[in-house]
Amino acid sequence: MASQIRIVLFIFLLFGRSKYCFSAVHENGSANSVGGSKKVVRVGVILDSDSGVGRMTRSYISMAISDFYATYPYYQTRISLSEKNSEKDAVVAASAALDLMKNDGVQAIIGPMWSTEAKFVISLGNKAQIPIISISASSPSFSPSQNPFFIRTCRDDKSQIKPLVSIVQQFGWRQVIVIYEDTEFGNGFIPYLTDSLQQIETRVVYRSVISASSKRQSIWKELEKIKAMETRAILVHMTASFGSELFPIAEEAGMMSKGYVWIITDGLSTLLDPIEKNVSDSIHGVLGLRPYVPNTKHLEEFKTRFNVSEINIYGLWAYDTIWALAKSVELVFSHLNSTKTGVGGLRVSELGPQLLEKLLSTRFEGLSGEFRLIRGQLQVEKFEIINVRRTKGEEVIGYWTEKKEIYIDSGGNGKVANSSSIDELKERIIWPGYYHAKVPPPKGWAIPVSGNKLRIGIPFLADYFKGFVDIKWDPKTLKVTNITGFSYDVFVAALQKLPFDVPHEFFAYVNNSGQMNGTYNDLLYQIKLGNYDAVVGDTTIIANRTAYVDFTLPYSESGVWMVVKVKDEKTKSIWIFLRPLKWTLWLTIAVAFLSTGFIVWILERRTNIDLRGPTHQQLSEVFLFSFLTPVFAHGERVENHWSRFVLTIWVFVAFIVIQSYTASLASILTVQRMQPSFVNVNELRMKDCYVGYTVNSYVRELLTGQLNFKKSRLRPYASHEEFHRALSKGSKNGGVDAMFEEIPYAKLFLSKYCSRYTTVGTTYKSDGFGFAFPLGSPLVPYMSRAILNVTEDHKKMEELELKYFSYQSKCQVYSSTSPANSHGLSAVSFGGLFIMMGLTLLFFCLIFLVKSGCVRTCLRAML
């Protein structure tokens, strides 16, 4: 901020001077001159001449001018460079730009090198309508779309965000720490990076800003703070000057060791060569990203001609920039000498807009690849992924493109060997602390090496709920000294499934009186406050809690049941024995009863002397015979074979009807006693009843928010004994008419009071019990997979359930389809049976008629 104020004051002083100072500078001179038969165009160059990058850039610019005019000797123009040293100072860079425009009459300026310097130079270029061409100012905080006379012949920093995010996503790192320099270069990039990481659910847990004035001690202190965190994936966005300070200190601090992940952006990875050896040795195992340079014939000839063993992308961009500018100058030469005085005496170039237009449309194959400006800046479509080795330097291990994402290239010729070989790429990497490849990638986090353990909060439960968690603790420190329970055993079993150790200690969430120190929401919020690193217990996974904690997968069944008292009423009807069968079925049985007796009688009449006699005696025999046949209590002997067959059918039918009658009557008598006192939530609300819930439970929010109960109609209870007493009393006597409880607790309650209470209505879903961790905690996916392995071991889960909940609930869950709501069995229910019986009787009746000869004989015998 101070440097920006200095620049503004500097420019104000320059513009505030007399008009003559600016307008008369070139009255007798020209921005362009003629050298022999060639016309010279002045171009300004602003470099940090004291830096290795600046000296390298000057060398490439010199080689570019030599190469270009050797290739095009017939061109009528020549570029003449006027160089200024920015001294890596924004004020000096702005002053140099003004001097080049005012005194040297330049038609374009290449530079400055750093994003911090570029901001005000670009503003001057817009005023003077002179193209400002940067080969290294890559900060996205300013762009050609906002500054029409600014051209970026390098990539925008935003172009490397997608490959960086792709690397993080492929390795599954959920948390990263970002270290960046406190300059325009660093500050302009980080917001875009953070937003993109959030889209893949990776959180930037900490941003470490290193300023130019930071001394060794302050950098060491900052690294120690990072070292104390659990996150081990660190992304560095710095230039070489900042990086050369950071990494040696990081190595001394033990942060370039096993378990760490370091990723550098191309601001540092493209400038590894100028870095001193002690610095390059300290970045062993680092992953880097840099623009891909195709190994063309043109590039090979350049390296041979100038004896260049190692190339640098910034140097190549500088080389291509000179070629593009020289081509454009040739095309607009006719306007070289024309200038016009503008605001405050600053010369406004008439050549500038034309030169800008030609630059933007220039296309050719340069040393760095295709030179093509899109929206005023060079596009980079392919990046190299490098891995820094102590002995071999950096090695290209893969590539990234928009279409193929990360892949492995065969020989760097753009031919994909295996586009899905991300696993092969992982095997190529040598990570910090190792000196060989094929090592499993670091998981990106670890328990801090300072020896701290995870602080795990444990709820204090009432006696009846201690099957889930039962604790004893030290009253002074609140450290748990003894812990048992279903939730604890599942947690321990999950820890044993992890591929690493997690040191931890438990703390009781209690107050001075030995009771739970708030609600479950309060307990979970302690994680967000940093008081706990996790919570283990019967904590329910619900949506509003995920705003401040992350849950593992559930380890128990989910939902809330409504439990009500059953009616203890017995029927007073003397005709209840008739209810199992409808009147149609009673009538059908009577018809079948008479028909069977009649058919047997007529079949036995001629041969059985017991069925002879007066008419009234024979009729009584018919009724008595049919009635007693099902129980075989009659004394008459059946002599006709057809009669025996008819009786067999009748006994079969009677047996089925009797059994169905018995079952239906038993069901009516039993279910009537198990009728719930209330059948749904609407009935409770209409009658303005009181309902109960467990104290400190989220069920309160469910009752008021989702089920629309008045808060005044809710009563909390701390144990199942209290629930039992409250339900026994009912709302009118100071109790409640229904209890809403989570399924595991409701099962415990019903296992003890099964005969007196039942569940009704629907199950109100929740996601079950889970363990809680901080938002974005890398432990969550590991613990979730471990819990899944534990819960899929059905034998193990059954053992735990039997250990802590040795019950098998036999209570019936009431529903509207219960037999209690039926009105008895009808004739339709046995239609097939009676049709079969009727056809059988009709058949034997016909047989009798045929054998007897005529109906008249039968009637005479009856009389």
Side-chain angles (χ1 to χ4, degrees), residues 736-778:
V736 295
D737 288 318
M739 173 185 79
F740 288 85
E741 188 65 288
E742 293 177 73
I743 291 177
Y745 303 144
K747 284 187 174 182
L748 285 173
F749 179 78
L750 292 174
S751 68
K752 186 175 182 179
Y753 303 104
C754 180
S755 62
R756 307 187 66 174
Y757 305 100
T758 187
T759 60
V760 296
T762 61
T763 298
Y764 303 98
K765 289 293 184 180
S766 68
D767 289 330
F769 292 160
F771 304 128
F773 292 88
L775 284 174
S777 172

Coordinates of all heavy atoms in Angstrom, one line a residue, residues 736-778:
V736 N -47.9 -37.3 29.9 CA -48.0 -37.1 28.4 C -48.8 -38.2 27.8 O -49.0 -39.3 28.4 CB -46.5 -37.1 27.8 CG1 -45.7 -35.9 28.3 CG2 -45.8 -38.4 28.0
D737 N -49.2 -38.0 26.6 CA -50.0 -39.0 25.9 C -49.2 -39.8 24.8 O -49.6 -40.8 24.3 CB -51.2 -38.4 25.2 CG -52.3 -38.0 26.2 OD1 -52.5 -38.8 27.2 OD2 -52.8 -36.9 26.1
A738 N -48.0 -39.2 24.5 CA -47.1 -39.9 23.6 C -45.7 -39.5 23.8 O -45.4 -38.5 24.4 CB -47.5 -39.5 22.1
M739 N -44.8 -40.4 23.5 CA -43.4 -40.2 23.6 C -42.7 -40.3 22.2 O -43.0 -41.3 21.5 CB -42.8 -41.2 24.6 CG -41.3 -41.2 24.7 SD -40.6 -42.5 25.7 CE -40.6 -43.9 24.5
F740 N -41.9 -39.4 21.9 CA -41.2 -39.4 20.6 C -39.7 -39.7 20.9 O -39.1 -39.0 21.6 CB -41.3 -38.1 19.8 CG -42.7 -37.9 19.2 CD1 -43.7 -37.4 20.0 CD2 -42.9 -38.3 17.9 CE1 -45.0 -37.2 19.5 CE2 -44.2 -38.1 17.4 CZ -45.2 -37.6 18.1
E741 N -39.2 -40.8 20.4 CA -37.9 -41.3 20.8 C -37.2 -41.9 19.6 O -37.8 -42.5 18.7 CB -38.0 -42.4 21.9 CG -36.7 -42.8 22.5 CD -36.0 -41.7 23.3 OE1 -35.5 -40.8 22.6 OE2 -36.0 -41.7 24.5
E742 N -35.8 -41.7 19.6 CA -35.0 -42.3 18.5 C -35.1 -43.9 18.6 O -35.3 -44.4 19.7 CB -33.6 -41.9 18.6 CG -33.5 -40.4 18.3 CD -32.0 -39.9 18.5 OE1 -31.2 -40.2 17.6 OE2 -31.8 -39.2 19.5
I743 N -35.1 -44.5 17.5 CA -35.4 -46.0 17.4 C -34.5 -46.8 18.4 O -35.1 -47.6 19.1 CB -35.2 -46.5 16.0 CG1 -36.3 -45.9 15.1 CG2 -35.2 -48.0 15.9 CD1 -36.1 -46.2 13.6
P744 N -33.2 -46.6 18.5 CA -32.5 -47.4 19.5 C -33.0 -47.3 20.9 O -33.1 -48.3 21.7 CB -31.0 -46.9 19.3 CG -31.0 -46.3 18.0 CD -32.3 -45.7 17.7
Y745 N -33.3 -46.0 21.3 CA -33.8 -45.8 22.7 C -35.3 -46.4 22.8 O -35.6 -46.9 23.8 CB -33.9 -44.3 23.0 CG -32.5 -43.6 22.8 CD1 -32.5 -42.3 22.4 CD2 -31.4 -44.2 23.2 CE1 -31.2 -41.7 22.2 CE2 -30.1 -43.6 23.1 CZ -30.1 -42.3 22.6 OH -28.9 -41.7 22.5
A746 N -36.1 -46.2 21.7 CA -37.5 -46.7 21.8 C -37.5 -48.2 21.9 O -38.3 -48.8 22.7 CB -38.2 -46.3 20.5
K747 N -36.5 -48.9 21.3 CA -36.5 -50.4 21.4 C -36.1 -50.7 22.9 O -36.7 -51.7 23.4 CB -35.4 -50.9 20.5 CG -35.9 -51.0 19.0 CD -34.9 -51.7 18.2 CE -35.5 -51.9 16.8 NZ -34.5 -52.7 15.9
L748 N -35.2 -50.0 23.5 CA -34.9 -50.2 24.9 C -36.1 -50.1 25.8 O -36.3 -50.9 26.7 CB -33.8 -49.3 25.3 CG -32.3 -49.6 24.8 CD1 -31.4 -48.5 25.2 CD2 -31.8 -50.9 25.4
F749 N -36.9 -49.0 25.5 CA -38.0 -48.8 26.3 C -39.1 -49.9 26.1 O -39.6 -50.4 27.1 CB -38.6 -47.4 25.9 CG -39.9 -47.0 26.6 CD1 -39.8 -46.5 27.9 CD2 -41.1 -47.2 26.0 CE1 -41.0 -46.2 28.6 CE2 -42.3 -46.8 26.7 CZ -42.2 -46.3 28.0
L750 N -39.3 -50.3 24.9 CA -40.4 -51.3 24.7 C -39.9 -52.7 25.2 O -40.8 -53.5 25.5 CB -40.7 -51.4 23.2 CG -41.4 -50.2 22.6 CD1 -41.5 -50.3 21.1 CD2 -42.8 -50.0 23.2
S751 N -38.6 -52.9 25.2 CA -38.2 -54.2 25.7 C -38.5 -54.4 27.2 O -38.6 -55.5 27.7 CB -36.7 -54.3 25.5 OG -35.9 -53.4 26.3
K752 N -38.6 -53.2 27.9 CA -39.0 -53.3 29.3 C -40.5 -53.2 29.6 O -41.0 -53.8 30.5 CB -38.2 -52.2 30.0 CG -38.4 -52.2 31.5 CD -37.5 -51.2 32.2 CE -37.6 -51.2 33.7 NZ -36.7 -50.2 34.4
Y753 N -41.2 -52.4 28.7 CA -42.6 -52.2 29.0 C -43.4 -52.6 27.7 O -44.3 -51.9 27.3 CB -42.9 -50.7 29.2 CG -42.1 -50.1 30.4 CD1 -41.0 -49.3 30.2 CD2 -42.4 -50.4 31.7 CE1 -40.2 -48.8 31.2 CE2 -41.7 -49.9 32.8 CZ -40.6 -49.1 32.5 OH -39.9 -48.6 33.6
C754 N -43.1 -53.8 27.2 CA -43.7 -54.2 25.9 C -45.2 -54.3 26.0 O -45.9 -53.9 25.1 CB -43.1 -55.5 25.5 SG -43.7 -56.2 24.0
S755 N -45.7 -54.9 27.1 CA -47.2 -55.2 27.1 C -48.0 -53.9 27.3 O -49.2 -54.0 27.2 CB -47.4 -56.2 28.3 OG -47.1 -55.6 29.5
R756 N -47.4 -52.8 27.7 CA -48.2 -51.6 28.0 C -48.2 -50.5 27.0 O -49.0 -49.6 27.0 CB -47.8 -51.1 29.4 CG -47.7 -52.2 30.5 CD -47.4 -51.6 31.8 NE -48.5 -50.7 32.3 CZ -48.5 -50.2 33.5 NH1 -47.5 -50.5 34.4 NH2 -49.5 -49.4 33.9
Y757 N -47.2 -50.6 26.1 CA -47.0 -49.5 25.1 C -46.8 -50.1 23.7 O -46.3 -51.3 23.6 CB -45.9 -48.6 25.5 CG -46.0 -48.0 26.9 CD1 -45.3 -48.6 27.9 CD2 -46.9 -47.0 27.1 CE1 -45.4 -48.1 29.2 CE2 -47.0 -46.5 28.4 CZ -46.3 -47.1 29.5 OH -46.4 -46.6 30.7
T758 N -47.0 -49.3 22.7 CA -46.8 -49.8 21.3 C -46.4 -48.6 20.5 O -46.6 -47.4 20.9 CB -48.0 -50.4 20.7 OG1 -47.7 -51.0 19.5 CG2 -49.2 -49.5 20.5
T759 N -45.9 -48.8 19.3 CA -45.5 -47.7 18.4 C -46.6 -47.6 17.3 O -47.2 -48.6 16.9 CB -44.2 -48.0 17.7 OG1 -44.3 -49.3 16.9 CG2 -43.0 -48.2 18.7
V760 N -46.8 -46.3 16.9 CA -47.8 -46.0 15.9 C -47.2 -45.0 14.9 O -46.2 -44.4 15.2 CB -49.1 -45.5 16.5 CG1 -49.8 -46.5 17.4 CG2 -48.8 -44.2 17.3
G761 N -47.9 -44.9 13.8 CA -47.6 -43.9 12.8 C -46.3 -44.3 12.0 O -45.9 -45.4 12.0
T762 N -45.8 -43.3 11.3 CA -44.7 -43.5 10.5 C -43.3 -43.3 11.2 O -43.3 -42.8 12.3 CB -44.7 -42.5 9.3 OG1 -44.6 -41.2 9.8 CG2 -45.9 -42.7 8.5
T763 N -42.3 -43.8 10.6 CA -40.9 -43.5 11.1 C -40.4 -42.2 10.6 O -40.3 -42.1 9.4 CB -40.0 -44.7 10.8 OG1 -40.5 -45.9 11.3 CG2 -38.6 -44.4 11.3
Y764 N -40.0 -41.3 11.5 CA -39.5 -40.0 11.0 C -38.0 -40.2 10.9 O -37.2 -40.4 11.8 CB -39.8 -39.0 12.1 CG -41.3 -38.8 12.3 CD1 -41.9 -39.4 13.4 CD2 -42.1 -38.1 11.4 CE1 -43.3 -39.4 13.6 CE2 -43.5 -38.0 11.6 CZ -44.0 -38.7 12.7 OH -45.4 -38.6 12.8
K765 N -37.5 -40.2 9.6 CA -36.2 -40.6 9.3 C -35.1 -39.6 9.7 O -35.3 -38.4 9.7 CB -36.1 -40.8 7.7 CG -36.8 -42.0 7.2 CD -36.1 -43.3 7.7 CE -36.8 -44.5 7.1 NZ -36.1 -45.7 7.6
S766 N -34.0 -40.1 10.2 CA -32.8 -39.4 10.4 C -31.6 -40.3 9.9 O -31.9 -41.4 9.4 CB -32.5 -39.1 11.8 OG -32.3 -40.2 12.6
D767 N -30.4 -39.8 9.9 CA -29.3 -40.6 9.3 C -28.6 -41.5 10.3 O -27.6 -42.0 10.0 CB -28.3 -39.7 8.6 CG -28.9 -39.0 7.4 OD1 -29.7 -39.7 6.7 OD2 -28.5 -37.9 7.0
G768 N -29.2 -41.6 11.5 CA -28.6 -42.5 12.5 C -27.5 -41.9 13.3 O -27.3 -40.7 13.3
F769 N -26.8 -42.7 14.1 CA -25.7 -42.2 15.0 C -24.4 -42.2 14.2 O -24.1 -43.2 13.4 CB -25.6 -43.1 16.2 CG -26.7 -43.0 17.1 CD1 -26.9 -44.0 18.1 CD2 -27.6 -41.9 17.1 CE1 -28.0 -43.9 19.0 CE2 -28.6 -41.8 18.0 CZ -28.9 -42.8 18.9
G770 N -23.6 -41.2 14.3 CA -22.3 -41.1 13.7 C -21.3 -40.4 14.6 O -21.7 -39.8 15.6
F771 N -20.0 -40.5 14.3 CA -19.0 -39.8 15.0 C -18.7 -38.5 14.3 O -18.7 -38.4 13.0 CB -17.7 -40.6 15.0 CG -17.9 -42.0 15.6 CD1 -17.5 -43.1 15.0 CD2 -18.6 -42.1 16.8 CE1 -17.7 -44.4 15.5 CE2 -18.8 -43.4 17.4 CZ -18.3 -44.5 16.7
A772 N -18.4 -37.4 15.0 CA -18.3 -36.1 14.5 C -16.8 -35.6 14.5 O -16.1 -35.9 15.5 CB -19.2 -35.1 15.3
F773 N -16.4 -34.9 13.5 CA -15.1 -34.3 13.4 C -15.2 -32.9 12.8 O -16.3 -32.5 12.3 CB -14.2 -35.2 12.4 CG -13.9 -36.5 13.0 CD1 -14.8 -37.6 12.7 CD2 -12.8 -36.7 13.7 CE1 -14.5 -38.9 13.2 CE2 -12.5 -38.0 14.2 CZ -13.3 -39.1 14.0
P774 N -14.1 -32.1 12.8 CA -14.2 -30.8 12.3 C -14.5 -30.8 10.8 O -14.3 -31.8 10.1 CB -12.8 -30.2 12.5 CG -12.2 -31.1 13.6 CD -12.8 -32.4 13.5
L775 N -15.1 -29.7 10.3 CA -15.4 -29.6 8.9 C -14.1 -29.8 8.0 O -13.1 -29.2 8.3 CB -16.0 -28.2 8.6 CG -17.4 -28.0 9.0 CD1 -17.8 -26.5 8.8 CD2 -18.4 -28.9 8.2
G776 N -14.3 -30.6 7.0 CA -13.1 -30.9 6.1 C -12.1 -31.8 6.7 O -11.0 -31.9 6.1
S777 N -12.3 -32.4 7.9 CA -11.3 -33.2 8.5 C -10.9 -34.4 7.6 O -11.8 -35.1 7.1 CB -11.8 -33.7 9.8 OG -10.8 -34.7 10.3
P778 N -9.6 -34.6 7.3 CA -9.2 -35.7 6.5 C -9.5 -37.1 7.1 O -9.4 -38.1 6.5 CB -7.8 -35.5 6.2 CG -7.3 -34.6 7.4 CD -8.5 -33.8 7.7

